[in-house]
Amino acid sequence: MLTTDFVPGSPIWLDLGSPDPGASRDFYSALFGWSLDSAGPEADDYGFFRLDDRAVGGLGPLTEERAAPAWTVYFATEDADDTTARVRRAGGDVRFGPVDVFGHGRMSGLTDPTGAQFAVWQARDTGGLGAVTIPNSLCWTELLSADPAAAKDFYRSVFGWQEQDVPFGEATYTVLTPIGGGTSSGQGGIMQLTADQAAAGLGSHWLPYFEVPDADATIAKARQLGGAVRAPARNAHGVGRFAQLIDPHGAPFAVITSAGPAD
């Protein structure tokens, strides 16, 4: 599971690029009980979502040309320049960076060979998320890929992730654990895009999962707030009840009520 004991390759941050940050602030604040602290105009009106004063993500306007509303997952690195070079050598694309973000850290925006966008963060003054796995915070990251084999080769080369393939219904799910991640059961996964998803025009992308006390209640509330369901709620033994949603601007995310030890 995710922790805030960040090691290279572990999810360390996520933020939302929105065409209307004010409306996105209102949606997620109502859905998850988050507040937003603005970093001010010198930071291009970037803001920090907080839950009980702990950072749970970021929010900013869309800044890249032709960018679609989306959550971006950041992975920890001790050297953003070296990791960016690794991405190039492994066949990925560098959208921007490496670039310093004031004194907070150094980052790059990247794309894997299957088309999924992500970023890396070399922490300095800002270490990363202040809360994970608790209700209404990030608890999992998942790559839905058009080519899982190519994706695994790429991320193994860049981050050295350990992999474990497990059956998941009629599909295979790859659980990812960063080197040095200890005895955790993994901090992310890779799964094949379904035929229906591909037919609907979905490309490879990273999907954040947020822990919630009641998945069905959260789904109903998201609908009331103008969101939509992309994949309906389902139960998975030993995992929990989860669903994929879309916020009012089209950014995908997922919610899950994780299974307890006896489930």
Side-chain angles (χ1 to χ4, degrees):
M1 65 179 181
L2 297 188
T3 76
T4 55
D5 295 325
F6 305 116
V7 297
S10 66
I12 190 171
W13 188 251
L14 82 163
D15 59 23
L16 174 66
S18 171
D20 187 342
S24 294
R25 173 202 62 209
D26 293 345
F27 173 80
Y28 288 99
S29 295
L31 187 65
F32 293 135
W34 295 345
S35 61
L36 186 75
D37 288 343
S38 174
E42 66 276 10
D44 296 323
D45 295 320
Y46 191 88
F48 296 89
F49 281 123
R50 297 193 182 278
L51 179 67
D52 297 330
D53 293 326
R54 289 184 284 180
V56 290
L59 170 66
L62 294 171
T63 57
E64 297 181 57
E65 187 176 356
R66 297 188 299 276
W71 285 95
T72 298
V73 178
Y74 292 63
F75 298 101
T77 177
E78 295 179 334
D79 188 331
D81 294 80
D82 178 68
T83 303
T84 301
R86 286 175 179 267
V87 166
R88 285 195 178 100
R89 291 196 297 269
D93 292 326
V94 179
R95 303 194 316 279
F96 64 86
V99 61
D100 290 322
V101 183
F102 303 106
H104 298 292
R106 188 164 174 82
M107 65 173 290
S108 291
L110 309 163
T111 305
D112 75 21
T114 77
Q117 296 187 353
F118 66 103
V120 294
W121 180 253
Q122 178 184 343
R124 290 174 179 159
D125 292 344
T126 299
L129 295 168
V132 295
T133 70
I134 66 172
N136 299 314
S137 71
L138 182 72
C139 67
W140 192 253
T141 59
E142 180 175 279
L143 174 61
L144 297 172
S145 180
D147 189 342
K152 286 192 283 187
D153 287 344
F154 170 79
Y155 289 103
R156 188 186 310 118
S157 176
V158 172
F159 294 121
W161 285 339
Q162 302 173 56
E163 306 163 4
Q164 180 183 6
D165 290 339
V166 296
F168 191 74
E170 297 180 357
T172 298
Y173 196 94
T174 301
V175 176
L176 305 169
T177 303
I179 296 294
T183 58
S184 76
S185 58
Q187 298 190 13
I190 299 177
M191 193 170 185
Q192 172 82 50
L193 282 168
T194 68
D196 288 344
Q197 289 170 334
L202 291 178
S204 301
H205 61 284
W206 282 94
L207 185 71
Y209 278 68
F210 298 102
E211 184 71 36
V212 294
D214 185 328
D216 293 286
T218 303
I219 293 164
K221 191 167 188 178
R223 282 180 165 141
Q224 292 170 0
L225 294 168
V229 176
R230 188 173 80 169
R234 59 178 292 193
N235 296 312
H237 179 71
V239 175
R241 184 165 177 79
F242 55 92
Q244 295 180 24
L245 306 177
I246 301 172
D247 76 15
H249 295 110
F253 65 102
V255 296
I256 183 169
T257 300
S258 296
D263 293 339

